[in-house]
């Protein structure tokens, strides 16, 4: 049936925005958890732990990736930083797989939009992806290919002063540069990360002290802002595109692309086609989940849909980033390894789920056009809580970035003035962002008294260039 253009556009927007409304709380909660881990996990330590070619390092890469950013481009950028610092090829590729398949916010979105079966396939498949990729790389990796690339990255970094932001692992910028007390030049991706670094170097509190201070909440707010800045275009585009695909793409298109029937060859073709559609879709990160809903609604097999979800690391824009970082040869090698890995894992998941009798029933439930998305129900209240949390974190980011004063809290590192709580130790007066930081200082003043309280003293060598 042909849909009138205006009616079709309105229905597409209703479905796309409805999907976004349904999943909003899960995305926000997941990004909050991810931000918390990102703030308190050292990238330098991570790189050192991923340098060996053994099972322990592979497991650590998987765990670090699962606790990292959900953005495809963020995963690739951080992966490049880890690789340049010495992480083994298998481990930095495993990190990227885990950070785009095993993260909290993605799992919650899949659970809400596609169901528990797809969530299990995503989590189990994420581990299978890493295992299969590791095996393929060990069997096929040219001996010197990545060694040459690592040497070239090191040379480029030296020649062009390209630096990695020490707080988040992204590429630094000349606009946000400081020189440390030891004479080392550091670059940051944003003013927010520069302020985070200054707070981290000025504050001596533990992560527990941080979470009870305004400075700690600033760091969390800054990372939360960064996470959103990396994924919001993909997320919004994915939801809106899914609405238009559901309404305007006729069934015969899916029937032509994905073979119907039973048998191993049919399942394999569907898995391969799912990855192929992902490569040319230009939708990465979490934006491919609502697109997967459109595919599932179009009658695509379980193997095709889950393989599509796996494949956000080889969309055309991401492949172009590989080319810029590593050159054509490595980009084509990564594409080949990832394509085979993703298609095979999608194929394997359908065989496994079919044997267990848990392949979802495509005919069950309401279609996307039949569903009511906006109602006063549990989603409404969860979104209210999530939006309030999001607003609070962004407020803390703005509050910390623009905080006035000539002092730094010695516990959390936040900038403050002389109107707040204060304490004196060895004749020096220290000022705090809150009474919580003051109490932590008074309990163990010797732990925090090494940092000069005045910004003019502590930040004297931290000038912009």
């Amino acid at each position: 049936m042909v849909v009138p253009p205006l009616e079709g556009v309105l229905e597409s927007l209703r479905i796309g925005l409805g999907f976004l409304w349904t999943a909003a709380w899960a995305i926000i909660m997941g990004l909050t958890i991810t931000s918390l881990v990102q703030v308190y996990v050292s990238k330098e330590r991570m790189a050192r732990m991923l340098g060996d070619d053994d099972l322990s390092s592979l497991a650590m890469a998987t765990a670090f990736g699962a606790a990292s950013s959900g953005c495809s481009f963020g995963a690739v950028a951080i992966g490049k930083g880890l690789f340049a610092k010495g992480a083994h090829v298998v481990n930095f590729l495993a990190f990227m797989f885990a950070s785009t398949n095993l993260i909290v916010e993605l799992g919650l979105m899949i659970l809400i939009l596609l169901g528990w079966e797809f969530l299990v396939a995503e989590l189990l498949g994420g581990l299978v992806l890493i295992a299969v990729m590791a095996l393929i790389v060990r069997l096929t990796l040219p001996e010197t290919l990545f060694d040459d690339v690592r040497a070239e990255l090191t040379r480029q970094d030296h020649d062009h002063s390209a630096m990695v932001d020490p707080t988040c692992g992204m590429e630094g910028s000349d606009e946000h540069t400081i020189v440390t007390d030891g004479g080392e030049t550091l670059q940051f991706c944003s003013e927010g990360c520069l302020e985070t670094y200054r707070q981290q170097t000025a504050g001596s509190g533990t992560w527990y002290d941080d979470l009870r201070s305004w400075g700690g909440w600033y760091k969390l707010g800054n990372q939360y802002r960064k996470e959103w800045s990396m994924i919001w275009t993909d997320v919004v585009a994915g939801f809106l595109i899914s609405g238009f695909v559901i309404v305007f793409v006729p069934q015969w298109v899916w029937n032509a692309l994905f073979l119907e029937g039973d048998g191993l060859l049919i399942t394999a073709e569907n898995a391969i086609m799912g990855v192929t559609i992902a490569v040319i879709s230009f939708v990465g990160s979490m934006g491919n989940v609502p697109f997967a809903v459109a595919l599932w609604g179009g009658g695509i097999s379980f193997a095709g849909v889950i393989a599509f979800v796996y494949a956000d690391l080889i969309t055309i824009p991401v492949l172009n980033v590989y080319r810029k970082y590593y050159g054509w040869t490595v980009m084509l090698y990564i594409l080949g390894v990832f394509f085979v890995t993703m298609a095979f894992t999608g194929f394997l998941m359908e065989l496994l789920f079919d044997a267990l009798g848990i392949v979802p029933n495509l005919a069950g439930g309401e279609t996307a056009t039949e569903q009511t998305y906006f109602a006063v129900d549990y989603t409404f209240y969860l979104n209210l809580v999530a939006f309030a949390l999001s607003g609070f974190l962004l407020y803390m980011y703005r509050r910390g970035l623009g905080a006035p004063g000539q002092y730094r809290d010695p516990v959390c590192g936040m900038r403050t003035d002389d109107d707040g709580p204060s304490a004196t130790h060895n004749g020096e007066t220290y000022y705090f962002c809150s009474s919580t930081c003051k109490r932590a200082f008074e309990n163990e003043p010797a732990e925090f008294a090494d940092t000069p309280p005045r910004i003019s003293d502590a930040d004297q060598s931290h000038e912009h260039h």
Side-chain angles (χ1 to χ4, degrees):
M1 183 180 69
V2 178
V3 181
L6 180 58
E7 181 182 331
V9 169
L10 293 176
E11 179 64 6
S12 300
L13 292 174
R14 186 187 75 88
I15 292 172
L17 294 175
F19 283 163
L20 181 57
W21 171 258
T22 301
W25 68 269
I27 300 172
I28 291 172
M29 295 301 182
L31 289 178
T32 302
I33 295 172
T34 297
S35 300
L36 185 65
V37 176
Q38 286 281 82
V39 169
Y40 294 107
V41 175
S42 165
K43 303 297 183 303
E44 296 284 347
R45 183 186 177 197
M46 189 189 304
R48 290 196 300 270
M49 297 177 70
L50 303 186
D52 296 327
D53 181 18
D54 56 30
L55 187 59
S56 174
S57 294
L58 182 62
M60 292 300 296
T62 302
F64 284 141
S68 188
S69 170
C71 170
S72 303
F73 296 102
V76 172
I78 295 173
K80 176 205 171 193
L82 295 175
F83 173 67
K85 291 178 184 296
H88 190 272
V89 174
V90 170
N91 296 333
F92 101 84
L93 296 178
F95 171 88
M96 292 195 300
F97 266 130
S99 65
T100 52
N101 288 281
L102 300 178
I103 53 174
V104 176
E105 57 268 31
L106 180 69
L108 289 172
M109 190 189 299
I110 290 175
L111 177 64
I112 292 169
L113 297 179
L114 288 167
W116 69 267
E117 298 93 342
F118 278 96
L119 174 59
V120 173
E122 176 71 8
L123 298 177
L124 178 60
L127 298 176
V128 174
L129 283 168
I130 292 170
V132 172
M133 176 276 298
L135 178 62
I136 293 176
V137 170
R138 287 192 171 96
L139 292 176
T140 65
L141 179 66
E143 185 172 348
T144 63
L145 177 61
F146 279 87
D147 290 337
D148 294 341
V149 170
R150 199 193 313 265
E152 178 63 17
L153 285 176
T154 301
R155 186 190 67 78
Q156 289 178 2
D157 288 350
H158 181 268
D159 290 348
H160 302 292
S161 299
M163 296 186 182
V164 172
D165 186 326
T167 64
C168 69
M170 301 294 287
E171 188 171 327
S173 166
D174 289 334
E175 296 179 31
H176 310 291
T177 304
I178 62 172
V179 178
T180 68
D181 294 332
E184 181 184 7
T185 300
L186 301 177
Q187 290 183 350
F188 300 83
C189 69
S190 65
E191 181 68 22
C193 282
L194 173 56
E195 175 63 18
T196 293
Y197 174 82
R198 284 174 166 160
Q199 289 191 17
Q200 289 172 340
T201 53
S204 306
T206 65
W207 66 269
Y208 180 68
D209 294 323
D210 248 15
L211 288 179
R212 295 186 300 158
S213 70
W214 293 121
W217 283 100
Y218 162 78
K219 299 182 189 76
L220 183 58
N222 175 58
Q223 187 62 39
Y224 178 77
R225 174 198 61 84
K226 280 185 58 63
E227 296 293 332
W228 264 118
S229 69
M230 290 189 290
I231 70 166
W232 77 269
T233 52
D234 279 327
V235 169
V236 173
F239 280 108
L240 293 180
I241 290 172
S242 68
F244 281 86
V245 168
I246 289 171
V247 173
F248 286 106
V249 176
Q251 186 61 45
W252 65 263
V253 173
W254 305 126
N255 294 340
L257 293 174
F258 294 85
L259 301 178
E260 296 182 279
D262 299 319
L264 295 180
L265 290 179
I266 299 294
T267 303
E269 187 275 343
N270 276 222
I272 292 171
M273 188 56 65
V275 177
T276 303
I277 295 295
V279 172
I280 63 176
S281 70
F282 283 79
V283 179
S285 304
M286 295 185 293
N288 67 353
V289 175
F291 201 124
V293 176
L295 295 178
W296 185 239
I300 311 308
S301 72
F302 186 73
V305 175
I306 196 64
F308 173 88
V309 175
Y310 293 150
D312 60 340
L313 281 172
I314 53 173
T315 63
I316 289 176
V318 175
L319 290 174
N320 190 48
V321 175
Y322 294 143
R323 181 192 62 79
K324 290 179 180 178
Y325 283 169
Y326 310 117
W328 280 99
T329 303
V330 171
M331 183 273 282
L332 292 172
Y333 178 79
I334 291 175
L335 172 61
V337 171
F338 280 16
F339 194 105
V340 172
T341 298
M342 293 159 176
F344 175 77
T345 304
F347 170 79
L348 188 63
M349 287 299 105
E350 173 144 327
L351 296 186
L352 175 62
F353 277 51
D354 187 49
L356 296 175
I358 57 173
V359 173
N361 179 13
L362 185 58
E366 296 178 308
T367 65
T369 56
E370 295 171 338
Q371 291 182 33
T372 299
Y373 299 101
F374 303 99
V376 181
D377 53 12
Y378 79 94
T379 299
F380 175 82
Y381 293 109
L382 287 173
N383 277 340
L384 285 183
V385 174
F387 293 153
L389 175 61
S390 186
F392 173 73
L393 291 175
L394 294 176
Y395 165 75
M396 289 309 306
Y397 162 71
R398 297 305 308 173
R399 183 180 188 271
L401 193 62
Q406 295 299 311
Y407 304 94
R408 284 203 179 272
D409 185 322
V411 177
C412 70
M414 190 170 181
R415 191 162 47 216
T416 185
D417 54 29
D418 55 6
D419 292 336
S422 62
T424 301
H425 177 70
N426 289 340
E428 188 78 77
T429 301
Y430 297 85
Y431 298 90
F432 307 91
C433 71
S434 64
S435 57
T436 302
C437 283
K438 177 185 176 182
R439 285 195 298 271
F441 179 88
E442 289 175 334
N443 288 338
E444 295 182 89
E447 293 290 323
F448 307 108
D450 290 339
T451 304
R454 295 185 67 87
I455 286 181
S456 56
D457 295 329
D459 293 355
Q460 188 173 8
S461 299
H462 296 174
E463 299 295 332
H464 284 267
H465 287 249

